[in-house]
Amino acid sequence: MGCPQFWKHEFGTCVGSLTSLEECSEQLKDMVAFLLGRSFSLEGSLEEAGLPGRNAADHGHVGAYKTAVPCATIAGFCCPLVVTMRPVPKDKLERLVQASCSTAGEQGQPVHIGDPGLLGIKDLAKPDYGEPVVCQPGDVPVFWPSQLTSLEAVSGYMTPLAFTSAPGCTVMTDLKGPAAPARCLTPEGMPEVHHISQDPLHYSMASASAVRKIRELETMIAVDPGSRGIRHLLRPDELLRASLSLSHARSLLLTTGLPTHFNHEPPEETDGPPGAVALAAFLQALEKRVCMVVDRRALSLYKKLVDEAVEQGVLKTQIPLLTYQGGSAGAAQAFLCADGDPKSPRFDHLVAIERAGRAADGNYYNARMVSMRHLVDPIDELFLAAQKIPGISSTGVGDGGNELGMGKVKEAVKRHIRNGDVIACDVEADFAVIAGVSNWGGYALACALYILNSCEVHRRYLRKAVGPFRAPGAQSWTQALPSVAKEEKMLSILVQHRVRSGVSGLVGMEVDGLPFHDTHAQMIQKLVDITTVHG
């Protein structure tokens, strides 16, 4: 076993092993050799992080797994990514990741932390190569790219003849390694690890500088212009974790609408729809699928809003508008999942921005304790159903505690918000983003997504280190950010729709009673300035 071992492949199939390639010297004359260096020792990083190594049953080489993640196709080579896994206690995750990145730069960065099923790995006890490493209670599986991906590339190429080193075997050469160490990350570029889902278990990563910027956004939108006491509702890093989850999502369902102006037709307030459209615009720029579910009563209003947003260039394309009426025990699951199958969700993240939320008594209240139930469809049921469907996360954005998703902070609402014991929403979201005005929360989510997708650490994690790093489409993304001009257009559309309905005494260009050109315009500009500044 001290001698190098080689595999012989014919047309992509391993047909045998060799202890030496000397007998194949004539065939080797017409072949090209690829040498993959071993510059990163995971065991060394484990030791540096103070974690005991747990090799495969203390013998053999650690297992590796084929994933469902396709590698970039180059010159006919095409194969799935192969990864290796180490179980890490959850309280040691960040220490290990930072140790591995300190040692090996971006090569030490994991490509996935959490449920192996998200990589298409069905059973950790059955690796495709080597021996399994057993996870203990409290461990989190952490995955790194494996050099065994090269074996899959050779097999997939179907070349008439190829030789590879066998798994677990290293070829020693007389070539000197590079004098320069691996490019290590700066403190600002060092990855941070954040938990974003429990079912399935999933962690995400972003650089320290990106996290710092998003925390600045969260602090900025938490000002309380109405003196409602929203600071009591704040939970740290809800904006960060919500935006990380949104960044991983592929198909989003947005909702908005809090019909509190009973003397107007339609009764929608100007807080909510502009923030939802701003978020939708940036999700479209990231090429994610976006739909919106609204009250059937207000469908014509939202159709006009979306049509004019596309015409004005605020949205890139139309957003499908849906309605939900409930009516049966399985209606919500049937709406959210293909053929009603919870294993096939149509959406992986739901977002409510200033959406009327159901209180404990089943009513929907405005801040003055007036019921809006006759104007509201039971869209809450979708968020309740999502809690029981693995793979669907949810975010609620609110500014008073009566909005959908604020059930997560309902006890604080009852204690600190006027009329909170009556109006508090009883329906939770996974993430509760609190803002002085809910539109600001929508703007901040869009800005946080820009920050994350401009972060090299996060983008590498999103793409599972597959393919080269491509600079983000900075110009198109910048154009998709919220702006004073775009949000003024959205407010104008809402106000004009009421005017055409014959309503007088409008609040005009105000949101939550605050003049747009003062408070709101300044907030939008500050958020964008934080987002786009370098460093």
Side-chain angles (χ1 to χ4, degrees):
M1 294 300 293
C3 297
Q5 299 285 314
F6 300 92
W7 282 0
K8 180 179 181 180
H9 303 261
E10 294 180 356
F11 297 100
T13 301
C14 180
V15 295
S17 62
L18 305 167
T19 57
S20 171
L21 295 181
E22 289 182 351
E23 63 189 69
C24 307
S25 56
E26 286 302 312
Q27 296 165 304
L28 292 173
K29 290 179 180 179
D30 294 326
M31 303 181 80
V32 177
F34 295 86
L35 302 179
L36 306 179
R38 294 192 62 184
S39 58
F40 169 53
S41 169
L42 184 53
E43 279 64 33
S45 296
L46 287 166
E47 183 177 348
E48 183 179 336
L51 297 171
R54 275 187 262 162
N55 288 336
D58 293 325
H59 70 277
H61 69 277
V62 176
Y65 306 82
K66 296 179 188 177
T67 72
V69 179
C71 289
T73 300
I74 300 178
F77 286 95
C78 180
C79 68
L81 176 68
V82 178
V83 294
T84 185
M85 184 278 294
R86 298 295 190 281
V88 179
K90 63 182 178 180
D91 60 338
K92 303 291 195 304
L93 280 175
E94 190 157 277
R95 186 195 304 178
L96 173 59
V97 170
Q98 294 185 352
S100 62
C101 289
S102 296
T103 303
E106 67 177 16
Q107 292 184 27
Q109 183 178 320
V111 295
H112 179 64
I113 304 174
D115 191 331
L118 294 174
L119 293 176
I121 299 171
K122 295 181 179 179
D123 189 350
L124 287 177
K126 298 178 180 179
D128 296 284
Y129 300 95
E131 301 295 328
V133 178
V134 177
C135 287
Q136 303 295 338
D139 283 346
V140 176
V142 184
F143 299 85
W144 284 263
S146 170
Q147 293 178 333
L148 294 176
T149 302
S150 60
L151 295 187
E152 292 299 313
V154 169
S155 297
Y157 192 66
M158 303 292 288
T159 184
L161 180 64
F163 299 98
T164 66
S165 56
C169 295
T170 301
V171 176
M172 302 295 292
T173 74
D174 57 2
L175 299 176
K176 293 183 179 180
R183 181 175 69 86
C184 294
L185 301 176
T186 64
E188 284 289 280
M190 192 62 70
E192 291 191 12
V193 179
H194 294 274
H195 178 246
I196 60 172
S197 172
Q198 189 59 36
D199 188 12
L201 183 64
H202 196 191
Y203 290 77
S204 189
M205 296 201 307
S207 69
S209 62
V211 170
R212 174 180 52 78
K213 280 188 175 186
I214 294 173
R215 285 173 175 157
E216 285 184 49
L217 298 178
E218 185 172 59
T219 299
M220 182 162 289
I221 65 172
V223 298
D224 191 359
S227 300
R228 299 175 179 176
I230 65 166
R231 65 183 179 84
H232 298 288
L233 313 185
L234 298 173
R235 291 191 177 186
D237 287 343
E238 290 291 283
L239 177 66
L240 172 64
R241 297 193 302 119
S243 56
L244 284 167
S245 180
L246 283 169
S247 187
H248 285 272
R250 295 182 177 89
S251 180
L252 292 299
L253 180 67
L254 310 186
T255 187
T256 186
L258 202 153
T260 189
H261 297 297
F262 302 116
N263 296 325
H264 296 165
E265 180 54 46
E268 266 64 27
E269 63 174 323
T270 49
D271 189 19
V277 170
L279 176 58
F282 202 82
L283 292 170
Q284 286 185 339
L286 295 176
E287 300 182 350
K288 298 182 185 293
R289 177 175 174 260
V290 184
C291 296
M292 187 178 291
V293 58
V294 299
D295 293 315
R296 184 168 58 180
R297 163 196 56 74
L299 186 59
S300 62
L301 168 65
Y302 285 100
K303 186 176 188 310
K304 182 65 176 175
L305 186 68
V306 170
D307 287 346
E308 295 200 28
V310 173
E311 184 179 329
Q312 297 283 345
V314 176
L315 288 172
K316 185 166 62 174
T317 59
Q318 287 281 335
I319 299 175
L321 294 174
L322 312 173
T323 61
Y324 173 77
Q325 302 301 304
S328 67
Q333 183 168 302
F335 184 97
L336 293 172
C337 304
D339 300 321
D341 183 359
K343 295 181 180 179
S344 302
R346 292 190 177 98
F347 309 100
D348 42 18
H349 203 118
L350 314 183
V351 184
I353 300 178
E354 190 69 6
R355 169 69 197 176
R358 183 187 300 169
D361 64 2
N363 282 313
Y364 299 81
Y365 293 102
N366 65 13
R368 300 181 302 278
M369 291 194 299
V370 179
S371 176
M372 305 174 286
R373 186 171 185 175
H374 60 293
L375 298 171
V376 177
D377 291 339
I379 291 172
D380 308 66
E381 293 177 4
L382 303 178
F383 281 66
L384 290 169
Q387 295 172 5
K388 301 175 183 178
I389 301 174
I392 303 182
S393 298
S394 60
T395 295
V397 179
D399 58 18
N402 59 334
E403 302 89 359
L404 177 54
M406 295 299 105
K408 185 172 184 180
V409 293
K410 64 183 178 182
E411 294 308 317
V413 173
K414 292 175 181 178
R415 286 196 302 270
H416 300 289
I417 301 299
R418 183 181 178 186
N419 302 323
D421 56 333
V422 175
I423 70 172
C425 176
D426 200 47
V427 181
E428 292 189 22
D430 294 312
F431 314 107
V433 176
I434 309 300
V437 175
S438 293
N439 277 342
W440 300 351
Y443 305 152
L445 283 169
C447 290
L449 286 169
Y450 179 99
I451 293 168
L452 290 174
N453 284 272
S454 301
C455 167
E456 187 170 347
V457 168
H458 184 68
R459 284 180 62 80
R460 187 179 192 273
Y461 189 76
L462 279 181
R463 73 176 196 274
K464 307 292 188 289
V466 168
F469 174 77
R470 292 182 175 86
Q475 184 175 359
S476 62
W477 287 3
T478 302
Q479 291 172 348
L481 283 171
S483 72
V484 174
K486 286 191 286 189
E487 303 325 302
E488 188 173 18
K489 289 175 183 176
M490 293 299 94
L491 290 173
S492 238
I493 294 167
L494 287 168
V495 172
Q496 288 170 13
H497 194 81
R498 288 182 184 167
V499 171
R500 285 192 292 269
S501 300
V503 178
S504 60
L506 295 173
V507 291
M509 296 299 284
E510 295 184 352
V511 182
D512 270 11
L514 301 171
F516 176 78
H517 285 291
D518 294 331
T519 308
H520 298 288
Q522 291 173 17
M523 177 60 72
I524 293 169
Q525 194 57 55
K526 288 178 181 178
L527 292 173
V528 173
D529 287 346
I530 289 175
T531 299
T532 55
V533 69
H534 296 291

